[in-house]
Amino acid sequence: MADPFHHPGRPDIRGPLRYIWWLIVSQRRRVLTGSLLGSAWMVGLMVPPYLLSRAIDDGLTAGNSSALFGWTGALFGVGVLNAWLAVMRHRVMTRVRMDAAFRSVRVVTEHTTRLGDVLARRTSSSEILTIGFGDVAQTANVLTITGPGVGAVLAYAVAALLLLSVSAPLALVVLLGVPVLALVVGPLLGRLQRVETVYRDQYGLLTTRLVDLIEGLRVLGGLGGKEVYAERYRERSRALRAEGYRVGTVTSWIQALAVGLPTVFLAAVTWPAARLAADGSLTTGQLVSVYGYAAVLVVPVAFFIEGGYDLSRGRVAARRIIGFLALPPRSDDPSAGLDAPVGPAVLRDPASGVEVLPGRFTALTGARPQESARVVDRLGRFVDSEALWGGVPLRDIALTQVRERLLVADNEAALFAGTLRDAIGGRTEHSADALAEAVDAAMARDIVHALPEGLDSAVAAQGRDLSGGQRQRIRLARALLAAPEVLLAVEPTSAVDVHTEAAMTTRLAAHRAGLTTVVTTTSPLVLDRADTVCYLVGGRVAATGTHRELLAGEAGYRRLVARDADDENDVSDEDGGLR
């Protein structure tokens, strides 16, 4: 199997069959071993009918006990050998399938890591999960045909040669059998590939909708849109079910033919053989051997059909995998570029006119919160812009240095399943004091106390077992614990009650004293604590100053703050306070 500590190799994503071939050549020795074992086992199945015919003709018919016991002993030995070959073939092919699955999981996971923050804008998490489990397993299953598939071809040829030694017409029937099977089953396999593709696409969309429904259930319920969204999901579910019926119809025909055609094939060989035996052209032993060859040929014929079925479904799955692997990551090398400023420096966004002075608490506000969020995206280098850091274009600075010193904290940041300690601390070890200070600064101490095991309590993925306000405070605690030189926080207090917000703002300012902090907000409680407030109108700075200076000199700012103050007295927060 693929060693988890070694690189899986570079996949060939020029086409689904090329990708499957890459999985094969990546473990060519194991596949070759499986093919040899599968061929030996499949060809070995053709030997017992021959030995049985000799035992009958040379032993029973001729009355020769020595010959009878000799051929019977050989028959027993071949049976034992075939049983061992079957066990070894299955064991090797299982390893082949698992290696292919693990290798695909590795390349999908590594590409997910390379995509980084651009992943969410190019595909959904549910699609990645579907690829990582369903498509990977289906593609890996194709490799199992490399063992018995090759053996089936050789066994078919050996059976034809053995029948040719008995009767040329019978051998002709065998040789014509496979082309007839291809004509019957081939169109069905093509149709299966088409309906599987449609089904797989709709399945991915429906899974995405389900994930969205689960994650937004609380919000949808509050807005009264849960039933509307659920009805849309039911409609798509019914459409998917209809596509599933189409897939099932084609699959049932293929599986029926896999059982029925070998039986017809058996009858087509047995009937003329019986007529030849009745005419005296075949001996009793030869008649038994012909029946045995035809009966054993059911196995390779069934493998032909099953292999075609697996290959058809595997191509659909492999196409989804290579489609994901073809998603381009960031074009820039994270470690390449100019060096960041040596010490704290001014951040400027020419598009909006926002200027962030080092070591100060700056608030961005405006009637449209999304405009403030766009400024943060530019200053945090989440979008390409003309932003400057210490006079150097932010886009030209090495991305690793930007990420080490500038941190963007928003309310959509992922919370991974695990303990609360891991959710806050991340992959870095922190002291107990540092962790406690970050938790206290984010007003998250009550969350720790409310959980049965405190920081060691389990938290579900995306914090689904927490309220919106609790998730927000956990995210803020994580950002504070990282202690970045520049913290850019988007609406860090929007989901908590007024009293919690006031305490959070005070503690945030104290915790970040001397460090550069930027928040987007319309809350007067937060604005009043800021050293500098940038008032945005139409996405550009209309005025800059302290909260009280802007209240005195900007009518639009006064209306904005007054409206938000009224909202604080009227809107209930899901944590139980007023907002």
Side-chain angles (χ1 to χ4, degrees), residues 19 24 29 105 204 230 255 259 291 312 324 338 340 358 381 411 453 474 478 502 510 513 538:
Y19 181 80
I24 293 174
R29 290 185 179 179
V105 168
Q255 292 178 345
V259 176
Y291 180 82
S312 178
F324 174 74
L338 302 176
R381 195 175 157 181
N411 294 321
E453 297 181 42
I474 292 301
R478 180 172 61 184

mmCIF file with all atom_site columns, all heavy atoms in Angstrom, residues 19 24 29 105 204 230 255 259 291 312 324 338 340 358 381 411 453 474 478 502 510 513 538:
data_model
loop_
_atom_site.group_PDB
_atom_site.id
_atom_site.type_symbol
_atom_site.label_atom_id
_atom_site.label_alt_id
_atom_site.label_comp_id
_atom_site.label_asym_id
_atom_site.label_entity_id
_atom_site.label_seq_id
_atom_site.pdbx_PDB_ins_code
_atom_site.Cartn_x
_atom_site.Cartn_y
_atom_site.Cartn_z
_atom_site.occupancy
_atom_site.B_iso_or_equiv
_atom_site.pdbx_formal_charge
_atom_site.auth_seq_id
_atom_site.auth_comp_id
_atom_site.auth_asym_id
_atom_site.auth_atom_id
_atom_site.pdbx_PDB_model_num
ATOM 1   N N   . TYR A 1 19  ? -5.436  9.035   -15.723 1.00 0.00 ? 19  TYR A N   1
ATOM 2   C CA  . TYR A 1 19  ? -5.306  9.041   -14.265 1.00 0.00 ? 19  TYR A CA  1
ATOM 3   C C   . TYR A 1 19  ? -5.338  7.615   -13.729 1.00 0.00 ? 19  TYR A C   1
ATOM 4   O O   . TYR A 1 19  ? -4.539  7.259   -12.845 1.00 0.00 ? 19  TYR A O   1
ATOM 5   C CB  . TYR A 1 19  ? -6.439  9.861   -13.645 1.00 0.00 ? 19  TYR A CB  1
ATOM 6   C CG  . TYR A 1 19  ? -6.365  9.925   -12.135 1.00 0.00 ? 19  TYR A CG  1
ATOM 7   C CD1 . TYR A 1 19  ? -5.506  10.804  -11.499 1.00 0.00 ? 19  TYR A CD1 1
ATOM 8   C CD2 . TYR A 1 19  ? -7.142  9.079   -11.349 1.00 0.00 ? 19  TYR A CD2 1
ATOM 9   C CE1 . TYR A 1 19  ? -5.425  10.856  -10.112 1.00 0.00 ? 19  TYR A CE1 1
ATOM 10  C CE2 . TYR A 1 19  ? -7.073  9.113   -9.964  1.00 0.00 ? 19  TYR A CE2 1
ATOM 11  C CZ  . TYR A 1 19  ? -6.206  10.003  -9.354  1.00 0.00 ? 19  TYR A CZ  1
ATOM 12  O OH  . TYR A 1 19  ? -6.122  10.032  -7.985  1.00 0.00 ? 19  TYR A OH  1
ATOM 13  N N   . ILE A 1 24  ? -2.094  2.714   -11.884 1.00 0.00 ? 24  ILE A N   1
ATOM 14  C CA  . ILE A 1 24  ? -1.578  1.368   -12.173 1.00 0.00 ? 24  ILE A CA  1
ATOM 15  C C   . ILE A 1 24  ? -0.053  1.360   -12.174 1.00 0.00 ? 24  ILE A C   1
ATOM 16  O O   . ILE A 1 24  ? 0.585   0.538   -11.504 1.00 0.00 ? 24  ILE A O   1
ATOM 17  C CB  . ILE A 1 24  ? -2.132  0.866   -13.521 1.00 0.00 ? 24  ILE A CB  1
ATOM 18  C CG1 . ILE A 1 24  ? -3.648  0.638   -13.420 1.00 0.00 ? 24  ILE A CG1 1
ATOM 19  C CG2 . ILE A 1 24  ? -1.433  -0.427  -13.952 1.00 0.00 ? 24  ILE A CG2 1
ATOM 20  C CD1 . ILE A 1 24  ? -4.305  0.284   -14.740 1.00 0.00 ? 24  ILE A CD1 1
ATOM 21  N N   . ARG A 1 29  ? 4.674   -3.167  -9.901  1.00 0.00 ? 29  ARG A N   1
ATOM 22  C CA  . ARG A 1 29  ? 5.106   -4.504  -9.478  1.00 0.00 ? 29  ARG A CA  1
ATOM 23  C C   . ARG A 1 29  ? 3.952   -5.270  -8.841  1.00 0.00 ? 29  ARG A C   1
ATOM 24  O O   . ARG A 1 29  ? 3.746   -6.456  -9.123  1.00 0.00 ? 29  ARG A O   1
ATOM 25  C CB  . ARG A 1 29  ? 6.270   -4.399  -8.499  1.00 0.00 ? 29  ARG A CB  1
ATOM 26  C CG  . ARG A 1 29  ? 7.566   -3.915  -9.133  1.00 0.00 ? 29  ARG A CG  1
ATOM 27  C CD  . ARG A 1 29  ? 8.705   -3.953  -8.128  1.00 0.00 ? 29  ARG A CD  1
ATOM 28  N NE  . ARG A 1 29  ? 9.963   -3.514  -8.719  1.00 0.00 ? 29  ARG A NE  1
ATOM 29  C CZ  . ARG A 1 29  ? 11.114  -3.432  -8.064  1.00 0.00 ? 29  ARG A CZ  1
ATOM 30  N NH1 . ARG A 1 29  ? 11.157  -3.771  -6.766  1.00 0.00 ? 29  ARG A NH1 1
ATOM 31  N NH2 . ARG A 1 29  ? 12.209  -3.020  -8.677  1.00 0.00 ? 29  ARG A NH2 1
ATOM 32  N N   . VAL A 1 105 ? -6.375  9.709   -2.197  1.00 0.00 ? 105 VAL A N   1
ATOM 33  C CA  . VAL A 1 105 ? -6.680  10.552  -1.040  1.00 0.00 ? 105 VAL A CA  1
ATOM 34  C C   . VAL A 1 105 ? -5.524  11.507  -0.760  1.00 0.00 ? 105 VAL A C   1
ATOM 35  O O   . VAL A 1 105 ? -5.726  12.688  -0.462  1.00 0.00 ? 105 VAL A O   1
ATOM 36  C CB  . VAL A 1 105 ? -6.984  9.686   0.201   1.00 0.00 ? 105 VAL A CB  1
ATOM 37  C CG1 . VAL A 1 105 ? -7.023  10.534  1.463   1.00 0.00 ? 105 VAL A CG1 1
ATOM 38  C CG2 . VAL A 1 105 ? -8.311  8.958   0.028   1.00 0.00 ? 105 VAL A CG2 1
ATOM 39  N N   . GLY A 1 204 ? -23.637 15.925  -6.195  1.00 0.00 ? 204 GLY A N   1
ATOM 40  C CA  . GLY A 1 204 ? -22.745 16.914  -5.602  1.00 0.00 ? 204 GLY A CA  1
ATOM 41  C C   . GLY A 1 204 ? -23.471 18.207  -5.261  1.00 0.00 ? 204 GLY A C   1
ATOM 42  O O   . GLY A 1 204 ? -23.267 18.791  -4.194  1.00 0.00 ? 204 GLY A O   1
ATOM 43  N N   . ALA A 1 230 ? -36.082 24.159  2.585   1.00 0.00 ? 230 ALA A N   1
ATOM 44  C CA  . ALA A 1 230 ? -36.299 22.716  2.668   1.00 0.00 ? 230 ALA A CA  1
ATOM 45  C C   . ALA A 1 230 ? -37.097 22.213  1.466   1.00 0.00 ? 230 ALA A C   1
ATOM 46  O O   . ALA A 1 230 ? -36.834 21.115  0.948   1.00 0.00 ? 230 ALA A O   1
ATOM 47  C CB  . ALA A 1 230 ? -37.024 22.370  3.967   1.00 0.00 ? 230 ALA A CB  1
ATOM 48  N N   . GLN A 1 255 ? -26.328 -6.082  -15.000 1.00 0.00 ? 255 GLN A N   1
ATOM 49  C CA  . GLN A 1 255 ? -26.172 -7.190  -14.062 1.00 0.00 ? 255 GLN A CA  1
ATOM 50  C C   . GLN A 1 255 ? -26.979 -8.410  -14.493 1.00 0.00 ? 255 GLN A C   1
ATOM 51  O O   . GLN A 1 255 ? -26.549 -9.553  -14.291 1.00 0.00 ? 255 GLN A O   1
ATOM 52  C CB  . GLN A 1 255 ? -26.574 -6.734  -12.662 1.00 0.00 ? 255 GLN A CB  1
ATOM 53  C CG  . GLN A 1 255 ? -25.622 -5.698  -12.068 1.00 0.00 ? 255 GLN A CG  1
ATOM 54  C CD  . GLN A 1 255 ? -26.054 -5.208  -10.707 1.00 0.00 ? 255 GLN A CD  1
ATOM 55  O OE1 . GLN A 1 255 ? -27.199 -5.410  -10.302 1.00 0.00 ? 255 GLN A OE1 1
ATOM 56  N NE2 . GLN A 1 255 ? -25.156 -4.539  -9.987  1.00 0.00 ? 255 GLN A NE2 1
ATOM 57  N N   . VAL A 1 259 ? -25.430 -12.264 -15.646 1.00 0.00 ? 259 VAL A N   1
ATOM 58  C CA  . VAL A 1 259 ? -25.859 -13.597 -15.197 1.00 0.00 ? 259 VAL A CA  1
ATOM 59  C C   . VAL A 1 259 ? -26.426 -14.408 -16.354 1.00 0.00 ? 259 VAL A C   1
ATOM 60  O O   . VAL A 1 259 ? -26.143 -15.597 -16.497 1.00 0.00 ? 259 VAL A O   1
ATOM 61  C CB  . VAL A 1 259 ? -26.908 -13.451 -14.069 1.00 0.00 ? 259 VAL A CB  1
ATOM 62  C CG1 . VAL A 1 259 ? -27.439 -14.829 -13.664 1.00 0.00 ? 259 VAL A CG1 1
ATOM 63  C CG2 . VAL A 1 259 ? -26.303 -12.753 -12.863 1.00 0.00 ? 259 VAL A CG2 1
ATOM 64  N N   . TYR A 1 291 ? -18.306 -29.703 -21.724 1.00 0.00 ? 291 TYR A N   1
ATOM 65  C CA  . TYR A 1 291 ? -19.244 -29.105 -20.779 1.00 0.00 ? 291 TYR A CA  1
ATOM 66  C C   . TYR A 1 291 ? -18.482 -28.359 -19.676 1.00 0.00 ? 291 TYR A C   1
ATOM 67  O O   . TYR A 1 291 ? -18.870 -27.260 -19.259 1.00 0.00 ? 291 TYR A O   1
ATOM 68  C CB  . TYR A 1 291 ? -20.135 -30.180 -20.156 1.00 0.00 ? 291 TYR A CB  1
ATOM 69  C CG  . TYR A 1 291 ? -21.131 -29.621 -19.178 1.00 0.00 ? 291 TYR A CG  1
ATOM 70  C CD1 . TYR A 1 291 ? -22.319 -29.059 -19.605 1.00 0.00 ? 291 TYR A CD1 1
ATOM 71  C CD2 . TYR A 1 291 ? -20.857 -29.633 -17.806 1.00 0.00 ? 291 TYR A CD2 1
ATOM 72  C CE1 . TYR A 1 291 ? -23.216 -28.520 -18.701 1.00 0.00 ? 291 TYR A CE1 1
ATOM 73  C CE2 . TYR A 1 291 ? -21.746 -29.090 -16.896 1.00 0.00 ? 291 TYR A CE2 1
ATOM 74  C CZ  . TYR A 1 291 ? -22.934 -28.537 -17.349 1.00 0.00 ? 291 TYR A CZ  1
ATOM 75  O OH  . TYR A 1 291 ? -23.814 -27.998 -16.454 1.00 0.00 ? 291 TYR A OH  1
ATOM 76  N N   . SER A 1 312 ? -16.517 1.671   -16.598 1.00 0.00 ? 312 SER A N   1
ATOM 77  C CA  . SER A 1 312 ? -17.433 2.754   -16.975 1.00 0.00 ? 312 SER A CA  1
ATOM 78  C C   . SER A 1 312 ? -17.701 3.679   -15.794 1.00 0.00 ? 312 SER A C   1
ATOM 79  O O   . SER A 1 312 ? -17.633 4.910   -15.913 1.00 0.00 ? 312 SER A O   1
ATOM 80  C CB  . SER A 1 312 ? -18.748 2.160   -17.493 1.00 0.00 ? 312 SER A CB  1
ATOM 81  O OG  . SER A 1 312 ? -19.659 3.180   -17.830 1.00 0.00 ? 312 SER A OG  1
ATOM 82  N N   . PHE A 1 324 ? -11.079 18.250  -9.993  1.00 0.00 ? 324 PHE A N   1
ATOM 83  C CA  . PHE A 1 324 ? -10.668 18.949  -8.776  1.00 0.00 ? 324 PHE A CA  1
ATOM 84  C C   . PHE A 1 324 ? -9.168  19.220  -8.787  1.00 0.00 ? 324 PHE A C   1
ATOM 85  O O   . PHE A 1 324 ? -8.725  20.321  -8.439  1.00 0.00 ? 324 PHE A O   1
ATOM 86  C CB  . PHE A 1 324 ? -11.042 18.129  -7.543  1.00 0.00 ? 324 PHE A CB  1
ATOM 87  C CG  . PHE A 1 324 ? -10.524 18.701  -6.264  1.00 0.00 ? 324 PHE A CG  1
ATOM 88  C CD1 . PHE A 1 324 ? -11.102 19.828  -5.704  1.00 0.00 ? 324 PHE A CD1 1
ATOM 89  C CD2 . PHE A 1 324 ? -9.437  18.130  -5.617  1.00 0.00 ? 324 PHE A CD2 1
ATOM 90  C CE1 . PHE A 1 324 ? -10.614 20.372  -4.524  1.00 0.00 ? 324 PHE A CE1 1
ATOM 91  C CE2 . PHE A 1 324 ? -8.946  18.669  -4.442  1.00 0.00 ? 324 PHE A CE2 1
ATOM 92  C CZ  . PHE A 1 324 ? -9.542  19.790  -3.893  1.00 0.00 ? 324 PHE A CZ  1
ATOM 93  N N   . LEU A 1 338 ? 9.261   40.460  -2.117  1.00 0.00 ? 338 LEU A N   1
ATOM 94  C CA  . LEU A 1 338 ? 10.041  41.405  -1.316  1.00 0.00 ? 338 LEU A CA  1
ATOM 95  C C   . LEU A 1 338 ? 9.863   41.123  0.166   1.00 0.00 ? 338 LEU A C   1
ATOM 96  O O   . LEU A 1 338 ? 8.901   40.487  0.582   1.00 0.00 ? 338 LEU A O   1
ATOM 97  C CB  . LEU A 1 338 ? 9.598   42.832  -1.630  1.00 0.00 ? 338 LEU A CB  1
ATOM 98  C CG  . LEU A 1 338 ? 9.704   43.285  -3.101  1.00 0.00 ? 338 LEU A CG  1
ATOM 99  C CD1 . LEU A 1 338 ? 9.136   44.686  -3.249  1.00 0.00 ? 338 LEU A CD1 1
ATOM 100 C CD2 . LEU A 1 338 ? 11.147  43.227  -3.583  1.00 0.00 ? 338 LEU A CD2 1
ATOM 101 N N   . ALA A 1 340 ? 9.012   42.108  3.988   1.00 0.00 ? 340 ALA A N   1
ATOM 102 C CA  . ALA A 1 340 ? 8.082   43.013  4.649   1.00 0.00 ? 340 ALA A CA  1
ATOM 103 C C   . ALA A 1 340 ? 8.867   44.072  5.416   1.00 0.00 ? 340 ALA A C   1
ATOM 104 O O   . ALA A 1 340 ? 10.066  43.916  5.676   1.00 0.00 ? 340 ALA A O   1
ATOM 105 C CB  . ALA A 1 340 ? 7.188   42.216  5.600   1.00 0.00 ? 340 ALA A CB  1
ATOM 106 N N   . PRO A 1 358 ? 0.583   52.423  12.824  1.00 0.00 ? 358 PRO A N   1
ATOM 107 C CA  . PRO A 1 358 ? 1.017   51.320  13.687  1.00 0.00 ? 358 PRO A CA  1
ATOM 108 C C   . PRO A 1 358 ? 0.793   51.615  15.161  1.00 0.00 ? 358 PRO A C   1
ATOM 109 O O   . PRO A 1 358 ? 0.898   52.756  15.617  1.00 0.00 ? 358 PRO A O   1
ATOM 110 C CB  . PRO A 1 358 ? 2.510   51.189  13.358  1.00 0.00 ? 358 PRO A CB  1
ATOM 111 C CG  . PRO A 1 358 ? 2.907   52.523  12.802  1.00 0.00 ? 358 PRO A CG  1
ATOM 112 C CD  . PRO A 1 358 ? 1.705   53.055  12.097  1.00 0.00 ? 358 PRO A CD  1
ATOM 113 N N   . ARG A 1 381 ? -4.595  41.351  2.165   1.00 0.00 ? 381 ARG A N   1
ATOM 114 C CA  . ARG A 1 381 ? -4.143  40.682  0.944   1.00 0.00 ? 381 ARG A CA  1
ATOM 115 C C   . ARG A 1 381 ? -4.948  39.400  0.655   1.00 0.00 ? 381 ARG A C   1
ATOM 116 O O   . ARG A 1 381 ? -4.395  38.371  0.294   1.00 0.00 ? 381 ARG A O   1
ATOM 117 C CB  . ARG A 1 381 ? -2.649  40.350  1.014   1.00 0.00 ? 381 ARG A CB  1
ATOM 118 C CG  . ARG A 1 381 ? -2.083  39.987  -0.357  1.00 0.00 ? 381 ARG A CG  1
ATOM 119 C CD  . ARG A 1 381 ? -0.595  39.786  -0.312  1.00 0.00 ? 381 ARG A CD  1
ATOM 120 N NE  . ARG A 1 381 ? -0.137  38.947  -1.406  1.00 0.00 ? 381 ARG A NE  1
ATOM 121 C CZ  . ARG A 1 381 ? 1.123   38.578  -1.617  1.00 0.00 ? 381 ARG A CZ  1
ATOM 122 N NH1 . ARG A 1 381 ? 2.067   38.984  -0.788  1.00 0.00 ? 381 ARG A NH1 1
ATOM 123 N NH2 . ARG A 1 381 ? 1.440   37.797  -2.607  1.00 0.00 ? 381 ARG A NH2 1
ATOM 124 N N   . ASN A 1 411 ? -16.029 36.325  10.785  1.00 0.00 ? 411 ASN A N   1
ATOM 125 C CA  . ASN A 1 411 ? -17.002 35.436  11.411  1.00 0.00 ? 411 ASN A CA  1
ATOM 126 C C   . ASN A 1 411 ? -17.295 34.190  10.588  1.00 0.00 ? 411 ASN A C   1
ATOM 127 O O   . ASN A 1 411 ? -18.165 33.400  10.969  1.00 0.00 ? 411 ASN A O   1
ATOM 128 C CB  . ASN A 1 411 ? -18.307 36.201  11.681  1.00 0.00 ? 411 ASN A CB  1
ATOM 129 C CG  . ASN A 1 411 ? -18.100 37.287  12.720  1.00 0.00 ? 411 ASN A CG  1
ATOM 130 O OD1 . ASN A 1 411 ? -17.379 37.106  13.683  1.00 0.00 ? 411 ASN A OD1 1
ATOM 131 N ND2 . ASN A 1 411 ? -18.716 38.439  12.510  1.00 0.00 ? 411 ASN A ND2 1
ATOM 132 N N   . GLU A 1 453 ? -16.185 19.722  30.450  1.00 0.00 ? 453 GLU A N   1
ATOM 133 C CA  . GLU A 1 453 ? -14.766 19.480  30.701  1.00 0.00 ? 453 GLU A CA  1
ATOM 134 C C   . GLU A 1 453 ? -13.920 20.710  30.406  1.00 0.00 ? 453 GLU A C   1
ATOM 135 O O   . GLU A 1 453 ? -12.720 20.597  30.149  1.00 0.00 ? 453 GLU A O   1
ATOM 136 C CB  . GLU A 1 453 ? -14.283 18.292  29.850  1.00 0.00 ? 453 GLU A CB  1
ATOM 137 C CG  . GLU A 1 453 ? -14.983 16.980  30.198  1.00 0.00 ? 453 GLU A CG  1
ATOM 138 C CD  . GLU A 1 453 ? -14.469 15.830  29.355  1.00 0.00 ? 453 GLU A CD  1
ATOM 139 O OE1 . GLU A 1 453 ? -13.237 15.751  29.146  1.00 0.00 ? 453 GLU A OE1 1
ATOM 140 O OE2 . GLU A 1 453 ? -15.284 15.012  28.897  1.00 0.00 ? 453 GLU A OE2 1
ATOM 141 N N   . ILE A 1 474 ? -15.133 32.679  20.469  1.00 0.00 ? 474 ILE A N   1
ATOM 142 C CA  . ILE A 1 474 ? -14.074 31.674  20.324  1.00 0.00 ? 474 ILE A CA  1
ATOM 143 C C   . ILE A 1 474 ? -13.128 32.065  19.203  1.00 0.00 ? 474 ILE A C   1
ATOM 144 O O   . ILE A 1 474 ? -11.895 31.965  19.326  1.00 0.00 ? 474 ILE A O   1
ATOM 145 C CB  . ILE A 1 474 ? -14.687 30.284  20.059  1.00 0.00 ? 474 ILE A CB  1
ATOM 146 C CG1 . ILE A 1 474 ? -15.438 29.772  21.297  1.00 0.00 ? 474 ILE A CG1 1
ATOM 147 C CG2 . ILE A 1 474 ? -13.607 29.289  19.653  1.00 0.00 ? 474 ILE A CG2 1
ATOM 148 C CD1 . ILE A 1 474 ? -14.591 29.642  22.530  1.00 0.00 ? 474 ILE A CD1 1
ATOM 149 N N   . ARG A 1 478 ? -9.130  33.009  19.553  1.00 0.00 ? 478 ARG A N   1
ATOM 150 C CA  . ARG A 1 478 ? -8.083  32.379  18.737  1.00 0.00 ? 478 ARG A CA  1
ATOM 151 C C   . ARG A 1 478 ? -7.209  33.433  18.064  1.00 0.00 ? 478 ARG A C   1
ATOM 152 O O   . ARG A 1 478 ? -5.977  33.293  18.011  1.00 0.00 ? 478 ARG A O   1
ATOM 153 C CB  . ARG A 1 478 ? -8.736  31.477  17.686  1.00 0.00 ? 478 ARG A CB  1
ATOM 154 C CG  . ARG A 1 478 ? -7.745  30.768  16.786  1.00 0.00 ? 478 ARG A CG  1
ATOM 155 C CD  . ARG A 1 478 ? -8.440  29.751  15.890  1.00 0.00 ? 478 ARG A CD  1
ATOM 156 N NE  . ARG A 1 478 ? -9.419  30.369  14.999  1.00 0.00 ? 478 ARG A NE  1
ATOM 157 C CZ  . ARG A 1 478 ? -10.203 29.690  14.172  1.00 0.00 ? 478 ARG A CZ  1
ATOM 158 N NH1 . ARG A 1 478 ? -10.131 28.366  14.137  1.00 0.00 ? 478 ARG A NH1 1
ATOM 159 N NH2 . ARG A 1 478 ? -11.064 30.301  13.389  1.00 0.00 ? 478 ARG A NH2 1
ATOM 160 N N   . ALA A 1 502 ? -19.600 45.629  25.408  1.00 0.00 ? 502 ALA A N   1
ATOM 161 C CA  . ALA A 1 502 ? -18.859 46.684  26.106  1.00 0.00 ? 502 ALA A CA  1
ATOM 162 C C   . ALA A 1 502 ? -17.620 46.119  26.794  1.00 0.00 ? 502 ALA A C   1
ATOM 163 O O   . ALA A 1 502 ? -16.528 46.686  26.714  1.00 0.00 ? 502 ALA A O   1
ATOM 164 C CB  . ALA A 1 502 ? -19.773 47.367  27.129  1.00 0.00 ? 502 ALA A CB  1
ATOM 165 N N   . ALA A 1 510 ? -7.363  46.829  25.672  1.00 0.00 ? 510 ALA A N   1
ATOM 166 C CA  . ALA A 1 510 ? -6.287  46.653  26.654  1.00 0.00 ? 510 ALA A CA  1
ATOM 167 C C   . ALA A 1 510 ? -5.333  45.544  26.225  1.00 0.00 ? 510 ALA A C   1
ATOM 168 O O   . ALA A 1 510 ? -4.105  45.674  26.367  1.00 0.00 ? 510 ALA A O   1
ATOM 169 C CB  . ALA A 1 510 ? -6.891  46.341  28.027  1.00 0.00 ? 510 ALA A CB  1
ATOM 170 N N   . ALA A 1 513 ? -3.008  46.707  23.373  1.00 0.00 ? 513 ALA A N   1
ATOM 171 C CA  . ALA A 1 513 ? -2.335  47.991  23.586  1.00 0.00 ? 513 ALA A CA  1
ATOM 172 C C   . ALA A 1 513 ? -0.923  47.953  23.000  1.00 0.00 ? 513 ALA A C   1
ATOM 173 O O   . ALA A 1 513 ? -0.148  47.025  23.263  1.00 0.00 ? 513 ALA A O   1
ATOM 174 C CB  . ALA A 1 513 ? -2.284  48.315  25.076  1.00 0.00 ? 513 ALA A CB  1
ATOM 175 N N   . GLY A 1 538 ? -19.659 55.407  0.382   1.00 0.00 ? 538 GLY A N   1
ATOM 176 C CA  . GLY A 1 538 ? -19.406 54.928  -0.976  1.00 0.00 ? 538 GLY A CA  1
ATOM 177 C C   . GLY A 1 538 ? -18.083 54.211  -1.116  1.00 0.00 ? 538 GLY A C   1
ATOM 178 O O   . GLY A 1 538 ? -17.483 54.200  -2.200  1.00 0.00 ? 538 GLY A O   1
#
